[in-house]
Amino acid sequence: MFVPESTSKLQKFTSWFMGRRPEYTDPKVVAQGEGREVTRVRSQGFVTLLFNVVTKDMRKLGYDTGPPDTHGILGPSPPQGLPR
């Protein structure tokens, strides 16, 4: 996460005095590549992502969702053609 940073001492003082942080006049500037290299920002905070994935019926759609059913198999079988 990042927040815009003031570019001058006067802007820093004004934002401190008024209790308002600097903000972009056009919020689209964050998504555009043009002019972002001169934008002053400060990292702040963190983001926590939580993904909930439903895998029901994924096999019907052609996706492999895990190990194959091993019902009744006790362990790996030896390679074919080799003596036991």
Side-chain angles (χ1 to χ4, degrees):
M1 295 296 300
F2 62 92
V3 293
E5 190 72 22
S6 299
T7 56
S8 71
K9 298 284 185 190
L10 178 62
Q11 287 177 335
K12 285 183 183 182
F13 176 74
T14 305
S15 65
W16 173 80
F17 185 73
M18 302 292 278
R20 293 192 62 184
R21 293 186 175 185
E23 55 187 51
Y24 294 114
T25 54
D26 183 12
K28 293 180 183 177
V29 76
V30 177
Q32 297 171 346
E34 185 177 328
R36 271 190 13 195
E37 65 276 356
V38 295
T39 304
R40 294 183 184 192
V41 294
R42 177 173 44 97
S43 63
Q44 175 179 328
F46 56 92
V47 175
T48 302
L49 297 176
L50 174 65
F51 291 98
N52 292 316
V53 180
V54 178
T55 58
K56 180 182 178 196
D57 296 332
M58 292 291 284
R59 202 174 292 258
K60 289 180 184 178
L61 298 172
Y63 294 100
D64 184 16
T65 59
D69 292 332
T70 57
H71 204 58
I73 299 175
L74 297 176
S77 59
Q80 297 293 329
L82 296 177
R84 290 188 177 195

